[in-house]
Amino acid sequence: MSRIKWKWISLVIGCVFLIMAPLFLSAYWVRVLTSVFMFAVMAESWNILAGFCGYPSFGNAVFFGLGAYTTCILMVKLHQPFLVGVIAGAILCTIYAIVLGFPILRLKGHYFAIATLGLAEATKELVTNLEKITKGSEGISLPIIPGDVKVIYAAFYFAMFGIMIVTILFTYWMSKRRLGYAFQAIRADEEAALVTGINAAWYKTIAWSASAFFTGLVGGVYAYWTAFINPEGVFNVGITVKMLLMTFLGGPGTVFGPIVGAFIFEFLSELVWSHFVNVHAAFLGVLIVLVVIFMPGGVMKLMRGKLSLSKMLANIKENRI
Amino acid sequence: MVILQNIVNGLLLGGLYAGVALGFSLVWGVMNVINLAHGAFIMIGAYVTFWIYYFFKIDPFITIPFSMAFTFLLGYLVQKYIINLVVRAQVFMVFILTFGIEIFLMNLSNLICTADFRSVTPSYSGAGINLGGILVPYIRLAICFIALFLTYLLNLFLNKTKTGNAIKATSLDKEAAQLVGVHIGKIYTITFALSAAVAGAAGSLIAIIVAISPYMGGVYTFKAALIACLGGLGSIPGVIAGGLVVGMAETMGSQFISPGYKEFIGFVLLVFILIFRPEGIMGKKFFAVIKH
Amino acid sequence: MKKLFLILTMAVLAFLLVGTVFAQDVVRLGCSISLTGKLTYEGKATRDGYEFYKTLINKKGGLNIGGKKYRVDIKYYDDESNVQTSTKLIEKLIAEDKIDFILGPYGSGPSFATSAITEKYKRVMMLPMAASPEVYERGFKYMFGMLATTDIYLRDIFYLAAQQTPKPKIVAVLWKNDLANKGLSDPIPQFCKDSGMDLVYNEKFAAGASDFSAELTVIKAKNPDLLVFLSQLEQFIMGVKQIKDMKINAKMIMNGIAVPQPDLVKSLGKDAEYMVGPTHWYRTYRFRDDLFGDSENYVKEFKQMFGYEPEYHNVGASAGIQVLGIALEKAGVLDVEKVQNALATMSVNTFWGPIQFDEKGKIKGRKMPVGQILKGRFTLVYPSESAETKLVWPKPAW
């Protein structure tokens, strides 16, 4: 009982700290945290379809890109305010997921993964070629927001923070409801789930649409935040990979796993960057290998039991051939 | 005339693509592992050929056995001491693992070889057969043949040797194979090592026609995934079919639609095939349902 | 034990004392650059250019700012060839490391994005490797560039080609779909019109493409006199091989970025012969200054220090940081506004040529001399004052 209490207390303290952070952290760290929140949202929403439902999408970056581009196009070409652009972007992503989910969600496992990857790349190529609308490979730049840098940064900080909280709440709410159980049933054994009357197609579509919505939201905010987007940058498969890594680092299929994973991953990257300028990229590779071998359930799983070397070695015993 | 030339181009390209995708399809079909480090092995094979050519002036085609041996060994070690530790975990853990391996190999190569662009340009570059106006460059022809030959050899190996049969058995049903005495760990190691060797060979071939750099591999992993799915996982002949289809689609797409939409067409094709015929062109229906 | 402790303390104190006596003031510059990823080669070349300047200037005792001598120090971060990362790192340099003077990355994309950050913070940004006109369109006050922009890169080549006999008539263009190459290809229809040539093929290929056989087949059927293949080095190497495979015997094969780079000849050997391209700088330039001497001297000393022959990526970077150094000395204080003013009003001559910036931060008066690979070396063929030899036209058949 007291364990759960501690969990909630530390969460509250964490939230308070994060809310107060822009007051005492430098602009750089505010930016880093904003980025963490952004990836946390993406990882969390990826987790809805992948961790809970068991459908790992390798193409979720497509929603990030679509959100970003919709926002930019509406703001630059149609002179719409930012909020309109962002919401429109998120809605477009949801529709995209629903329409394309129809054929693609029928595929399973690796096939689904590759199909979503194909979808993301195809969309990128399409956006790059439709120059009249998207300015193609040149990219779109948004006007710089006038005003005090600190205030602007704080605004984006809270925007991303807010979206992150909403995403977490949604995931939590969903996990406790029939929706969440249906997802997990689908992941465990889809045929069995169908037999018990769960309309798998319907639920999968909801999962992917929710995933698309939140990712599209942060894509739109991101566009305004960095003031410049191009196809290679926002439809980048590296973004999807990051979502994946963070979710697995933290623990897939859990509510807080992806969030924890996002924080750990970003902070590790920061550390490695600043201190190992020449070898940091290779170092990252080694790190990933070590994490997968010793902590395959993610940090959340590790935290459920006791942290010990024997536990980590047991992981290998469990997973080795 | 242009069409005929482009058909030839498409076929030659298709052969090359088949070579690139071969190892990738094997690993996926047998071990259910999407090997993201595939591109890294191709890159390593390319560098081995380059360095041998650079220091000893040996013809690049002759260096192929050396690069294959090197990547075979590397793949063997990677599988035995790294991937085999995780392979029974969730499928996506292995995926991330291979991703980590790829990052490591690419950046290690950057540190060792530096990012200068290199290429192998032998004296006979550009020479070719002229069939009444249709040009068939020797190098491309040789690459196509060697890729197809390797595919043929691999197929022979899988069907006619004991180890090969063991590999096929493992891909069909792991537990049943174990029951008849197949040592899964050893099979996985051999399969991965073979895959790496073939990737190395593909790399050697590519070294003659592209610019080599530490980060060149990613594009090929991508293409390999496309072709493997298209052709059908678990089917070696399917790799040839997949390669040819993609090669032709790209070439024809460029001529009749637009060069800019080339890649787009490839992906749309992939998604279509996955939806309407998920087992690919030549795969068996069995493999479309992958448990995860 | 006590004795040891005492000795150690004395040693440390002595060291510190000596350190403070000989401690020099340092002016810190910051840079986010590609040390890994697709742009590693160009990033490293840029960094070597910066380091070359730093070594030379520090050997002379450093910069003389307001009467005091300042050693130059540069802090580097690796942006992994990723634009998002480079913006984050610039932020880090400014906000965390408190560096006021930023050296730009390689490439128009990252330059575009990172200069938005420096402008926001009102810090000086020196961009030696940005050539896209869009970078300057925003009229940023604190950003200064060292290169001519892509809209004029190829202009003189078309002019040169039009003067040759037999006069070229048919032009085919194949370009990589990215910011820089799009900028290179945009003005070509106008160049063709001005020289009275027909543009019969003008297509773009996806940035990740490696096979051009289909496009080249179509181009070959049109029998072009000028074949313009626009990409960076990696794809140009592949493009040339495939052009040779297809036996396209154009009278001139042109590229906008890669021809001056030594790796082209190293990778292609004899096949690189006769390729034509513009450059930002050439070793026969007669401009001089006190630090680098003239271009020939730059080449000699750079080669001695780094073991390879420099090309415009290295040289442009050195020129950029040199200009920043001159501005710091001119300003007399490490104050951003004064340095910005020094740059905006600058009018000096360095080995790079005359340095003057317009109100948008673009350097004035840059020309793009044209070179051709002859006997395995990038040789200047235009303009005639600096040319080493005449253009070989038409290009001999494959």
Side-chain angles (χ1 to χ4, degrees):
Chain A
M1 193 61 206
S2 68
R3 205 206 205 150
I4 301 173
K5 217 172 169 198
W6 273 118
K7 189 168 150 190
W8 287 113
I9 290 179
S10 57
L11 260 170
V12 171
I13 294 180
C15 276
V16 170
F17 172 76
L18 288 175
I19 293 177
M20 308 273 282
L23 291 172
F24 52 83
L25 286 180
S26 74
Y28 172 68
W29 283 106
V30 170
R31 177 177 256 265
V32 170
L33 279 173
T34 313
S35 184
V36 173
F37 298 153
M38 183 175 83
F39 275 104
V41 169
M42 290 201 275
E44 183 85 327
S45 54
W46 186 82
N47 184 34
I48 298 175
L49 183 64
F52 280 93
C53 257
Y55 273 74
S57 154
F58 285 179
N60 262 23
V62 73
F63 302 120
F64 186 75
L66 283 175
Y69 263 93
T70 312
T71 309
C72 281
I73 294 173
L74 283 178
M75 284 180 77
V76 171
K77 289 231 147 101
L78 298 176
H79 306 291
Q80 296 297 312
F82 167 61
L83 265 169
V84 171
V86 171
I87 304 282
I91 294 179
L92 178 73
C93 289
T94 315
I95 298 176
Y96 208 68
I98 295 175
V99 170
L100 287 160
F102 206 60
I104 294 183
L105 283 166
R106 291 183 200 201
L107 303 167
K108 292 195 179 35
H110 287 172
Y111 288 107
F112 173 72
I114 295 286
T116 52
L117 185 63
L119 176 70
E121 290 296 310
T123 311
K124 176 173 94 175
E125 292 293 324
L126 195 65
V127 166
T128 313
N129 277 300
L130 292 175
E131 276 169 19
K132 295 276 185 304
I133 312 174
T134 66
K135 287 184 82 175
S137 55
E138 265 176 42
I140 305 182
S141 55
L142 291 172
I144 297 188
I145 311 167
D148 183 4
V149 174
K150 279 215 136 195
V151 171
I152 296 170
Y153 272 21
F156 280 108
Y157 177 90
F158 286 117
M160 291 292 191
F161 184 71
I163 299 177
M164 183 179 83
I165 297 292
V166 171
T167 317
I168 297 176
L169 287 174
F170 175 82
T171 311
Y172 183 75
W173 168 85
M174 162 211 78
S175 70
K176 296 279 185 238
R177 283 271 180 311
R178 190 159 166 224
L179 202 62
Y181 286 109
F183 289 162
Q184 291 178 66
I186 295 174
R187 179 187 75 205
D189 190 334
E190 190 162 342
E191 265 121 22
L194 283 168
V195 165
T196 62
I198 294 178
N199 186 344
W202 171 236
Y203 282 109
K204 285 188 286 189
T205 312
I206 295 181
W208 206 20
S209 312
S211 196
F213 182 79
F214 291 114
T215 310
L217 269 184
V218 292
V221 177
Y222 169 80
Y224 202 29
W225 184 37
T226 44
F228 173 72
I229 60 166
N230 63 347
E232 188 54 46
V234 295
F235 285 102
N236 197 324
V237 70
I239 298 175
T240 312
V241 171
K242 249 177 143 167
M243 287 185 224
L244 223 130
L245 281 175
M246 289 172 176
T247 308
F248 275 97
L249 190 63
T254 66
V255 176
F256 287 101
I259 311 292
V260 170
F263 275 88
I264 297 181
F265 185 85
E266 277 301 298
F267 286 125
L268 265 176
S269 297
E270 283 304 309
L271 236 107
V272 175
W273 239 320
S274 10
H275 297 290
F276 297 101
V277 179
N278 279 319
V279 298
H280 69 91
F283 190 78
L284 181 67
V286 174
L287 204 69
I288 293 176
V289 171
L290 290 175
V291 165
V292 173
I293 294 180
F294 292 108
M295 289 176 19
V299 169
M300 289 306 279
K301 190 155 172 226
L302 216 61
M303 286 174 75
R304 297 241 159 93
K306 256 174 48 191
L307 204 78
S308 70
L309 192 64
S310 58
K311 202 89 211 275
M312 289 184 174
L313 291 174
N315 276 327
I316 302 183
K317 266 225 178 87
E318 219 175 271
N319 292 324
R320 73 183 301 169
I321 192 70
Chain B
M1 192 59 163
V2 173
I3 289 195
L4 287 176
Q5 176 74 62
N6 268 334
I7 292 180
V8 170
N9 290 336
L11 292 173
L12 291 176
L13 191 61
L16 170 66
Y17 280 166
V20 167
L22 193 57
F24 188 85
S25 183
L26 183 67
V27 165
W28 190 342
V30 171
M31 309 193 309
N32 206 20
V33 166
I34 298 186
N35 179 18
L36 283 183
H38 186 70
F41 288 107
I42 293 181
M43 177 263 295
I44 292 174
Y47 268 112
V48 169
T49 295
F50 172 76
W51 290 120
I52 296 182
Y53 177 76
Y54 184 76
F55 286 120
F56 304 111
K57 299 282 179 284
I58 296 180
D59 184 273
F61 288 105
I62 302 185
T63 66
I64 293 179
F66 294 106
S67 73
M68 284 183 80
F70 186 75
T71 47
F72 182 90
L73 188 63
L74 194 64
Y76 188 88
L77 293 172
V78 165
Q79 179 69 30
K80 184 152 186 193
Y81 295 111
I82 304 180
I83 302 184
N84 265 352
L85 291 177
V86 189
V87 85
R88 270 173 45 205
Q90 262 194 310
V91 153
F92 289 95
M93 297 314 286
V94 189
F95 177 82
I96 299 174
L97 183 70
T98 57
F99 177 68
I101 296 173
E102 198 213 13
I103 294 185
F104 178 70
L105 287 175
M106 281 196 317
N107 286 289
L108 188 68
S109 169
N110 182 27
L111 290 170
I112 299 177
C113 305
T114 80
D116 292 350
F117 288 111
R118 303 178 157 96
S119 191
V120 175
T121 311
S123 53
Y124 47 84
S125 72
I129 314 174
N130 190 332
L131 299 168
I134 309 286
L135 292 174
V136 184
Y138 285 140
I139 292 180
R140 291 279 180 152
L141 195 61
I143 290 177
C144 193
F145 266 136
I146 294 177
L148 293 175
F149 183 64
L150 278 171
T151 314
Y152 171 73
L153 277 182
L154 193 64
N155 206 26
L156 213 65
F157 176 79
L158 287 178
N159 286 322
K160 301 278 189 224
T161 68
K162 203 155 170 213
T163 319
N165 279 329
I167 294 178
K168 283 185 81 177
T170 313
S171 78
L172 275 172
D173 191 331
K174 211 164 66 184
E175 278 89 19
Q178 272 183 305
L179 280 174
V180 293
V182 172
H183 188 299
I184 305 293
K186 283 217 183 94
I187 291 297
Y188 276 10
T189 313
I190 295 280
T191 309
F192 195 84
L194 269 178
S195 156
V198 178
S204 295
L205 294 172
I206 293 176
I208 311 174
I209 52 176
V210 307
I212 309 171
S213 77
Y215 301 100
M216 64 186 276
V219 179
Y220 297 108
T221 311
F222 228 47
K223 278 250 151 56
L226 198 79
I227 294 168
C229 269
L230 216 75
L233 294 181
S235 162
I236 299 298
V239 169
I240 300 183
L244 286 175
V245 168
V246 174
M248 290 302 291
E250 284 189 359
T251 323
M252 292 296 124
S254 166
Q255 187 181 341
F256 291 110
I257 304 181
S258 130
Y261 277 102
K262 222 157 65 163
E263 315 278 317
F264 179 72
I265 292 169
F267 291 117
V268 170
L269 199 66
L270 171 72
V271 177
F272 258 91
I273 296 252
L274 284 178
I275 295 171
F276 294 110
R277 201 186 152 86
E279 67 271 22
I281 302 173
M282 291 180 73
K284 311 221 176 14
K285 198 103 194 206
F286 189 86
F287 292 100
V289 182
I290 304 275
K291 281 293 165 85
H292 46 80
Chain C
M1 196 59 214
K2 218 170 170 183
K3 222 173 166 190
L4 184 66
F5 182 67
L6 211 64
I7 294 177
L8 277 172
T9 328
M10 299 291 278
V12 171
L13 276 172
F15 180 72
L16 284 173
L17 214 68
V18 169
T20 35
V21 165
F22 285 110
Q24 209 188 356
D25 290 293
V26 180
V27 58
R28 287 160 74 229
L29 307 175
C31 179
S32 158
I33 202 145
S34 304
L35 297 175
T36 53
K38 281 252 148 201
L39 297 173
T40 309
Y41 168 76
E42 290 88 350
K44 199 173 142 291
T46 311
R47 184 180 67 172
D48 288 347
Y50 292 148
E51 287 294 301
F52 184 53
Y53 168 83
K54 187 184 96 176
T55 314
L56 286 185
I57 198 79
N58 285 339
K59 252 206 277 210
K60 285 182 135 204
L63 290 172
N64 187 342
I65 304 177
K68 270 206 294 189
K69 280 281 193 174
Y70 283 80
R71 200 165 52 86
V72 173
D73 189 46
I74 310 174
K75 189 158 179 68
Y76 296 101
Y77 285 125
D78 176 11
D79 65 17
E80 298 177 333
S81 303
N82 183 327
V83 176
Q84 270 176 287
T85 312
S86 61
T87 53
K88 185 162 82 156
L89 293 171
I90 296 287
E91 191 101 42
K92 186 168 185 168
L93 285 168
I94 296 177
E96 283 275 296
D97 300 312
K98 304 269 187 283
I99 294 182
D100 294 335
F101 308 104
I102 309 289
L103 297 166
Y106 169 78
S108 298
S111 298
F112 198 90
T114 52
S115 52
I117 307 274
T118 51
E119 191 72 6
K120 197 159 50 172
Y121 278 98
K122 298 198 175 34
R123 297 288 191 275
V124 170
M125 164 73 108
M126 166 55 70
L127 288 178
M129 287 287 127
S132 194
E134 281 84 14
V135 176
Y136 300 99
E137 280 316 302
R138 301 163 298 172
F140 283 172
K141 206 177 109 172
Y142 293 87
M143 176 199 88
F144 297 89
M146 296 296 291
L147 297 184
T149 45
T150 49
D151 47 334
I152 64 159
Y153 268 40
L154 303 176
R155 186 189 55 199
D156 288 343
I157 308 186
F158 275 87
Y159 172 76
L160 182 64
Q163 319 243 300
Q164 306 295 318
T165 42
K167 190 164 146 83
K169 275 237 137 273
I170 304 174
V171 179
V173 181
L174 185 61
W175 51 281
K176 175 179 167 191
N177 197 359
D178 71 8
L179 182 57
N181 290 296
K182 182 163 186 297
L184 287 172
S185 74
D186 278 342
I188 292 185
Q190 187 60 43
F191 294 155
C192 288
K193 230 164 80 177
D194 293 341
S195 331
M197 303 190 224
D198 285 319
L199 184 58
V200 301
Y201 185 92
N202 187 2
E203 292 286 344
K204 57 186 186 288
F205 59 83
S210 57
D211 182 79
F212 315 106
S213 49
E215 294 82 28
L216 290 172
T217 305
V218 175
I219 288 176
K220 181 176 176 178
K222 303 201 189 264
N223 246 315
D225 296 311
L226 293 186
L227 174 52
V228 186
F229 188 97
L230 298 174
S231 73
Q232 282 83 359
L233 181 61
E234 186 179 9
Q235 273 141 332
F236 189 53
I237 292 176
M238 301 193 257
V240 171
K241 288 190 186 234
Q242 292 171 32
I243 293 174
K244 186 174 180 192
D245 279 346
M246 290 286 122
K247 300 254 181 302
I248 302 181
N249 286 315
K251 300 194 176 62
M252 180 194 280
I253 301 177
M254 192 194 308
N255 173 281
I257 300 175
V259 183
Q261 296 182 247
D263 276 356
L264 184 68
V265 176
K266 276 207 270 190
S267 303
L268 291 174
K270 287 209 300 282
D271 292 349
E273 206 73 2
Y274 308 113
M275 299 297 146
V276 176
T279 180
H280 291 279
W281 160 89
Y282 198 67
R283 59 196 295 171
T284 55
Y285 271 7
R286 297 277 161 261
F287 303 111
R288 310 201 59 170
D289 63 54
D290 296 329
L291 185 66
F292 293 114
D294 64 8
S295 294
E296 199 64 61
N297 191 49
Y298 180 102
V299 172
K300 201 176 77 181
E301 296 198 8
F302 187 94
K303 193 157 176 198
Q304 216 170 26
M305 194 178 300
F306 289 95
Y308 66 91
E309 244 184 65
E311 36 96 2
Y312 77 80
H313 291 100
N314 314 102
V315 184
S318 298
I321 188 175
Q322 178 188 36
V323 166
L324 186 58
I326 295 175
L328 284 164
E329 290 191 325
K330 212 172 117 186
V333 286
L334 292 177
D335 172 71
V336 173
E337 293 300 319
K338 295 237 159 53
V339 174
Q340 188 273 342
N341 190 44
L343 283 165
T345 56
M346 182 170 295
S347 179
V348 297
N349 286 328
T350 67
F351 83 110
W352 182 252
I355 311 283
Q356 255 192 330
F357 298 102
D358 69 15
E359 67 285 354
K360 295 212 176 111
K362 192 162 106 165
I363 190 172
K364 285 198 208 167
R366 288 307 290 180
K367 292 209 168 38
M368 295 292 287
V370 182
Q372 186 175 34
I373 307 277
L374 294 172
K375 296 210 185 36
R377 209 170 61 86
F378 181 75
T379 316
L380 215 68
V381 296
Y382 178 92
S384 39
E385 324 62 280
S386 327
E388 290 171 281
T389 180
K390 278 184 74 182
L391 174 77
V392 171
W393 171 285
K395 175 183 164 306
W398 286 112

